[in-house]
Amino acid sequence: QTPTFLRERFPVCAFEGAPVLHPDLGAYFWLTPLPASADRRTVLAKLLEYNNFKLQIVAVDALARYLQSAVAATGDPEMTEATRLVRNVNGNRAYISGWSMYLVSSTMDEDFNKSSQNFQLNWLKYKLEFLANAMLDIKLHAQNMSVDESETFLQGQVFMEAGAVSSAVRSIQLNPTNFAIAYIGSKQWLRVRTRYQEITTDFKFSSFHSKALGAGALPPAELVYLTTEGQGRLE
């Protein structure tokens, strides 16, 4: 059971990486269960929103977070322990938050479940929600948008089920800047990969991701420089 104090921040799922000082202790990923007291209408709305197709996407997202956490726990073999700890404690937030959506998008672009129209429809809706969350992150915290307006926006223009709207808005309220930074970070990851591809003649996802994750949570300009061994730069 997800502790009550965490349910508001993580109404659907959450990932907790291994502690920085004790990477051997492992990581946790969980889905937040529906409250036992929930009525039938609430349960149905939640299951319609987070159906089996969408949960596949959520699972890929969780795997992305795990990969980043696992590599960050060990770091590049040439990285000193002090450098590894500093990058874990004070890493670039866009790098950290943007990685999961970047990897999910890359996975979907590589023909993940392309044969299923139902899955593809859910993937498009997932992307729409990702963009909407970034917008509401700004509007709720910096442009005086009301909770009612936010819920109406999600239900009417993002097509979220009524039973999932309130918890989605509450999560945005309790995680200020997280969704906007995740959006920015996902775009930065794509820029870094594009620059890497321009320089590398035999591009492979595994090679790029290994270098980029091993380098640590850096701003995009430094990340390009390290992954291309000093050959590439970003303006």
Side-chain angles (χ1 to χ4, degrees):
Q1 292 292 325
T2 304
T4 303
F5 73 96
L6 287 177
R7 285 176 180 254
E8 297 262 311
R9 287 191 64 201
F10 306 112
V12 181
C13 62
F15 174 82
E16 188 67 38
V20 175
L21 297 177
H22 297 283
D24 55 307
L25 294 182
Y28 291 91
F29 168 73
W30 70 90
L31 295 174
T32 300
L34 289 162
S37 59
D39 57 40
R40 185 177 183 280
R41 184 177 179 181
T42 301
V43 171
L44 180 60
K46 196 78 169 185
L47 293 179
L48 283 171
E49 182 64 39
Y50 294 98
N51 54 49
N52 287 340
F53 301 108
K54 191 167 183 178
L55 287 179
Q56 289 182 54
I57 302 170
V58 170
V60 176
D61 181 283
L63 177 60
R65 296 171 191 270
Y66 169 73
L67 287 172
Q68 186 181 60
S69 171
V71 175
T74 54
D76 188 299
E78 297 181 3
M79 188 187 301
T80 66
E81 182 70 2
T83 302
R84 183 184 71 81
L85 292 175
V86 169
R87 288 183 180 177
N88 273 278
V89 173
N90 193 31
N92 181 271
R93 286 187 64 201
Y95 170 107
I96 296 168
S97 299
W99 158 255
S100 58
M101 186 58 180
Y102 156 76
L103 190 65
V104 171
S105 296
S106 299
T107 302
M108 301 309 153
D109 290 343
E110 289 296 299
D111 295 333
F112 185 89
N113 236 337
K114 275 286 175 69
S115 60
S116 170
Q117 291 184 337
N118 287 331
F119 179 87
Q120 291 305 314
L121 181 61
N122 277 271
W123 167 232
L124 291 173
K125 186 169 177 287
Y126 188 90
K127 288 199 290 185
L128 183 61
E129 290 172 15
F130 180 71
L131 293 171
N133 287 341
M135 292 168 59
L136 291 182
D137 195 356
I138 297 168
K139 290 180 177 293
L140 279 167
H141 295 116
Q143 296 182 355
N144 299 318
M145 190 178 202
S146 70
V147 170
D148 288 343
E149 289 173 329
S150 301
E151 293 182 353
T152 300
F153 173 76
L154 287 178
Q155 196 168 353
Q157 298 190 50
V158 187
F159 316 113
M160 287 190 73
E161 296 291 333
V165 165
S166 296
S167 59
V169 172
R170 187 62 176 157
S171 179
I172 296 171
Q173 287 180 301
L174 293 173
N175 296 281
T177 74
N178 279 14
F179 294 94
I181 288 176
Y183 171 76
I184 293 169
S186 66
K187 296 299 182 184
Q188 289 183 349
W189 267 100
L190 192 57
R191 285 186 66 207
V192 171
R193 191 186 77 191
T194 300
R195 189 75 183 104
Y196 180 87
Q197 285 177 290
E198 291 172 351
I199 295 169
T200 307
T201 56
D202 57 343
F203 172 78
K204 292 181 181 178
F205 277 106
S206 57
S207 178
F208 168 66
H209 291 158
S210 178
K211 291 177 182 178
L213 289 176
L218 300 169
E222 284 76 10
L223 194 58
V224 168
Y225 186 80
L226 281 179
T227 54
T228 62
E229 298 178 354
Q231 299 178 61
R233 296 192 180 274
L234 281 178
E235 294 295 334

